[in-house]
């Protein structure tokens, strides 16, 4: 007899899980301007902005008069890293985790490419720092290989760590949500449902 009612139980469990996923997802929605959403979804546009800003920022802080010492360099490069990883997060967060496998390295490679195109303009203006002097066009191929390779490595590792954090947080939220569904009254958060009371049979 128990097997007879098992399909209905499985259906209810799946339905509750889907309701729970929708409730959790709805809790993280934030209204954003349509133009910003389109920008964040475009790997080309996001990489273009990130690459240009990152290279100009690097040139400015390395050519600052007076240097500023080690603390200045550490703080400014930390801010640059925060900007780079924030832009990476802003783009990747628009897509499912399974797409991060190719989106992260693609975004990184494009960022590096746009950085080095900006570097060409800086070299032409003699504003691209390299060591204690200015870089030349002869230095550019080596600089490009290093910059693109470093961007791909850094952003790919960051995306891997971020994906692990996202999976872990989702697991904790789902486990907590399932516990709430099993133990008592929860607010479903699905439009039109209001409060749903589920009481365990005694």
């Amino acid at each position: 007899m128990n097997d007879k009612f098992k399909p209905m139980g499985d259906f209810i469990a799946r339905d509750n899980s889907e309701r729970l996923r929708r409730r959790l997802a709805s809790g993280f929605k934030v209204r954003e301007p349509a133009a910003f959403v389109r920008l964040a979804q475009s790997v080309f546009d996001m990489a273009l902005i990130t690459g240009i800003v990152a290279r100009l920022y690097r040139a400015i802080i390395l050519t600052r008069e007076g240097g500023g010492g080690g603390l200045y360099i550490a703080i400014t490069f930390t801010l640059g890293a925060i900007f780079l990883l924030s832009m990476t997060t802003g783009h990747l967060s628009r897509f499912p985790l399974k797409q991060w496998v190719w989106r992260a390295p693609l975004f990184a490679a494009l960022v590096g490419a746009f950085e080095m195109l900006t570097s060409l303009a800086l070299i032409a203006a003699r504003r691209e720092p390299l060591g204690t002097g200015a870089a030349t066009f002869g230095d550019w191929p080596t600089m490009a290989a290093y910059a693109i390779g470093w961007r791909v490595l850094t952003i790919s590792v960051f995306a891997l760590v971020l994906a692990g954090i996202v999976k872990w947080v989702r697991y904790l939220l789902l486990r907590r949500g399932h516990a709430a569904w099993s133990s008592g009254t929860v607010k479903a958060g699905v439009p039109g449902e209001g409060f749903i009371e589920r009481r365990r049979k005694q």
Side-chain angles (χ1 to χ4, degrees):
M1 293 296 293
N2 291 337
D3 292 339
K4 182 177 180 180
F5 295 100
K6 188 175 181 180
M8 179 59 71
D10 291 342
F11 170 78
I12 293 174
R14 287 195 301 270
D15 184 61
N16 286 343
S17 296
E18 180 59 27
R19 289 170 184 266
L20 176 61
R21 280 191 291 270
R22 291 168 61 190
R23 179 170 64 87
L24 292 175
S26 66
F28 291 98
K29 288 183 178 178
V30 178
R31 288 188 175 275
E32 297 172 330
F36 177 78
V37 173
R38 288 194 298 270
L39 173 65
Q41 290 177 337
S42 171
V43 64
F44 184 88
D45 292 343
M46 285 289 281
L48 176 64
I49 294 173
T50 305
I52 293 175
V53 172
R55 203 65 187 185
L56 292 177
Y57 179 76
R58 174 187 178 276
I60 291 172
I61 64 175
L62 290 181
T63 56
R64 179 177 178 271
E65 293 293 335
L71 181 60
Y72 165 79
I73 296 296
I75 292 175
T76 51
F77 268 89
T78 298
L79 292 176
I82 291 173
F83 167 75
L84 175 66
L85 299 181
S86 296
M87 294 295 280
T88 302
T89 304
H91 174 65
L92 294 180
S93 63
R94 310 288 162 171
F95 302 95
L97 288 179
K98 61 183 179 181
Q99 292 190 21
W100 292 19
V101 174
W102 61 268
R103 281 191 177 276
L106 174 61
F107 177 77
L110 287 174
V111 168
F114 288 128
E115 271 197 73
M116 297 319 297
L117 289 176
T118 306
S119 176
L120 284 175
L122 291 171
I123 290 174
R126 301 189 62 81
R127 290 292 184 270
E128 177 72 306
L130 181 63
T132 57
T136 65
F137 288 109
D139 300 317
W140 188 84
T142 302
M143 293 169 58
Y146 176 81
I148 295 175
W150 181 247
R151 287 289 179 254
V152 171
L153 176 62
T154 303
I155 291 178
S156 296
V157 171
F158 171 74
L160 181 63
V161 173
L162 184 61
I165 294 173
V166 170
K167 293 285 285 186
W168 177 247
V169 170
R170 284 181 179 177
Y171 166 75
L172 292 178
L173 290 174
L174 286 172
R175 187 176 67 174
R176 181 178 178 182
H178 277 296
W181 275 99
S182 300
S183 61
T185 302
V186 297
K187 186 175 182 179
V190 180
E193 286 189 338
F195 284 90
I196 297 178
E197 293 187 358
R198 302 177 66 251
R199 292 186 174 86
R200 183 179 300 172
K201 292 183 179 180
Q202 301 297 330

